[in-house]
Amino acid sequence: MKNIQVLVVDDSAVVRQVLSALLNGAPGIEVLHAVADPLLAMERMRLSWPDVVVLDIEMPRMDGLTFLRKIMADKPVPVVICSSMTADSTQLSVEALSAGAVAVINRPRLNVREYLHGHADELIAAVRMAAGSTPKAAIAPAAKTARPAKPAPAGATRKYGPLPPAPEKFTADAILAPAAGAVSVRTEPLVAIGTSTGGTQALEELLAALPAHAPGIVIVQHMPEKFTAAFAARLDSLCAITVKEAESNDQLRPGLALIAPGGKHMLLRRNGNQYYVDVIDGPLVNRHRPSVDVLFRSVAKCAGANALGVIMTGMGDDGAAGMLEMRKAGARTVAQDEKSCVVYGMPMEAVKLGAVDKIVPLGAIDREIMAQRGGA
């Protein structure tokens, strides 16, 4: 097999040297060029196009975020951000992911050589994951919503790539028992969404396309602790619906999307004909917390045929088993198609399991959501 060819763009000679040595030392990875700024990078890219770009943010002549937006608009290529600036600014990390970066790796300003050597496995895993992804150009927010944007507070990040192996891979049984059977009581319709790698950008496109009267939505996006509040705030600034990080006892209602907090599981709960969420601690499920399977199982148990399940771009199989439970409980289930996914892992596993009623491109999922409410 052909080596993964990498372009390193960083103004620090030390970082270029260390990244080049680490990546060249990994089987199947080859550093084509290591350059000091984006203008030099563009010259090298005219000669040989890389499979993956490892990119700093703070650089002379052109900053990394501007360069990222340029290459994603011209010819998308998988980009892994490796920067100390994203460690300082969670908002910058969200902007990079929304602009099309596949992964963000934070590094310190001091002792960077030691840090990179100590986190070599994470870096190599991110490059391998990026090489298997299909990056998508971002859609400008102005093209997606006509309403004035709400001010967005400081934002969030996600370090993608395979998580460290856990001693044991728990299923949703570690959090709650399986659904007992189909739910027949009719209530307000709702939507449950699960996504991971590539989901930052995909959720932005999807939620910004929804009108203010869309059904209530509960979302698990694999993100670490402390970053989902800022990610929700960014989405809220772009969307006609309200988007917020979920808190226990939040009531789900039309026009509201609740995003599970990083580091916590989120479950749906019904009280009469009303739905609420519980945010709880617990073990990693499918090596994730929050877990899509946990959310989907809770939706199967208390909402059944009142729900639509949507599984989107992401690595791994989290959500597949939970979506099958939703389908058995009477819910409609939809998967994002391979062509529009950054990583066709989670949807593929759900399809293989027989959990999916319908496969649609990202740009059609908003219509499936509005059909759940009975129209646009």
Side-chain angles (χ1 to χ4, degrees), residues 307-353:
L308 167 69
V310 179
I311 195 159
M312 295 167 59
T313 176
M315 179 176 288
D317 62 358
D318 189 30
M323 177 163 273
L324 182 59
E325 291 187 53
M326 287 185 64
R327 190 179 189 194
K328 289 179 177 177
R332 292 172 56 231
T333 56
V334 169
Q336 184 180 349
D337 73 348
E338 181 174 7
K339 185 176 181 181
S340 65
C341 282
V342 171
V343 177
Y344 188 59
M346 288 163 53
M348 178 181 68
E349 294 300 326
V351 170
K352 284 165 56 177
L353 204 59

Side-chain angles (χ1 to χ4, degrees), residues 111-187:
N111 302 317
V112 64
R113 184 189 296 273
E114 293 79 4
Y115 181 88
L116 291 173
H117 278 286
H119 291 74
D121 288 347
E122 179 185 1
L123 172 69
I124 291 165
V127 168
R128 292 189 193 283
M129 181 275 294
S133 69
T134 307
K136 311 294 178 184
I139 296 176
K144 295 190 277 186
T145 177
R147 72 169 189 152
K150 292 179 269 186
T157 188
R158 161 71 162 105
K159 291 192 289 186
Y160 289 104
L163 295 174
E168 183 176 354
K169 184 178 177 182
F170 291 106
T171 69
D173 292 345
I175 304 297
L176 73 167
V183 177
S184 57
V185 177
R186 300 304 299 176
T187 65

Side-chain angles (χ1 to χ4, degrees), residues 1 21 24 36 76 139 272 358-359:
M1 290 178 63
N24 279 326
I139 296 176
K358 193 172 184 180
I359 302 171

Side-chain angles (χ1 to χ4, degrees), residues 13-360:
V14 170
V15 171
R16 294 198 304 274
Q17 179 189 45
V18 174
L19 289 179
S20 296
L22 292 175
L23 293 173
N24 279 326
I29 299 178
E30 173 188 0
V31 175
L32 282 176
H33 305 285
V35 298
D37 66 57
L39 298 186
L40 291 171
M42 285 188 279
E43 291 179 9
R44 300 297 189 275
M45 292 169 83
R46 292 188 190 102
L47 300 175
S48 53
W49 197 260
D51 298 312
V52 177
V53 175
V54 178
L55 178 65
D56 189 17
I57 295 292
E58 190 175 21
M59 289 180 291
R61 300 208 288 176
M62 180 187 292
D63 67 271
L65 198 55
T66 299
F67 178 55
L68 171 65
R69 290 183 174 127
K70 177 175 176 54
I71 59 177
M72 295 306 291
D74 294 344
K75 184 179 177 182
V77 61
V79 173
V80 174
I81 300 294
C82 181
S83 176
S84 59
M85 286 193 71
T86 52
D88 298 335
S89 170
T90 53
Q91 179 64 35
L92 195 59
S93 299
V94 167
E95 289 181 21
L97 291 168
S98 297
V102 177
V104 173
I105 295 176
N106 299 322
R107 70 171 196 244
R109 292 188 180 274
L110 302 176
N111 302 317
V112 64
R113 184 189 296 273
E114 293 79 4
Y115 181 88
L116 291 173
H117 278 286
H119 291 74
D121 288 347
E122 179 185 1
L123 172 69
I124 291 165
V127 168
R128 292 189 193 283
M129 181 275 294
S133 69
T134 307
K136 311 294 178 184
I139 296 176
K144 295 190 277 186
T145 177
R147 72 169 189 152
K150 292 179 269 186
T157 188
R158 161 71 162 105
K159 291 192 289 186
Y160 289 104
L163 295 174
E168 183 176 354
K169 184 178 177 182
F170 291 106
T171 69
D173 292 345
I175 304 297
L176 73 167
V183 177
S184 57
V185 177
R186 300 304 299 176
T187 65
E188 189 76 26
L190 64 99
V191 179
I193 298 175
T195 185
S196 184
T197 314
T200 309
Q201 192 178 10
L203 282 172
E204 183 175 317
E205 180 175 340
L206 170 59
L207 298 186
L210 293 173
H213 63 283
I217 303 171
V218 282
I219 300 168
V220 164
Q221 160 73 57
H222 292 157
M223 273 187 165
E225 192 175 356
K226 299 181 182 178
F227 298 119
T228 38
F231 176 52
R234 173 182 169 82
L235 292 176
D236 187 61
S237 74
L238 301 173
C239 300
I241 63 172
T242 298
V243 185
K244 73 180 290 284
E245 183 185 56
E247 300 174 83
S248 282
N249 296 315
D250 276 346
Q251 182 176 353
L252 190 63
R253 56 173 172 76
L256 173 65
L258 297 173
I259 297 182
K264 303 281 187 179
H265 291 299
M266 181 172 71
L267 292 79
L268 190 71
R269 166 171 51 89
R270 193 177 76 216
N271 185 357
N273 285 335
Q274 303 300 316
Y275 293 104
Y276 300 82
V277 296
D278 291 322
V279 174
I280 66 169
D281 292 314
L284 301 178
V285 171
N286 296 322
R287 304 196 175 105
H288 293 285
R289 186 177 53 235
S291 163
V292 182
D293 266 345
V294 170
L295 174 64
F296 281 3
R297 174 174 286 186
S298 72
V299 172
K301 285 172 70 74
C302 67
N306 300 295
L308 167 69
V310 179
I311 195 159
M312 295 167 59
T313 176
M315 179 176 288
D317 62 358
D318 189 30
M323 177 163 273
L324 182 59
E325 291 187 53
M326 287 185 64
R327 190 179 189 194
K328 289 179 177 177
R332 292 172 56 231
T333 56
V334 169
Q336 184 180 349
D337 73 348
E338 181 174 7
K339 185 176 181 181
S340 65
C341 282
V342 171
V343 177
Y344 188 59
M346 288 163 53
M348 178 181 68
E349 294 300 326
V351 170
K352 284 165 56 177
L353 204 59
V356 176
D357 292 318
K358 193 172 184 180
I359 302 171
V360 301

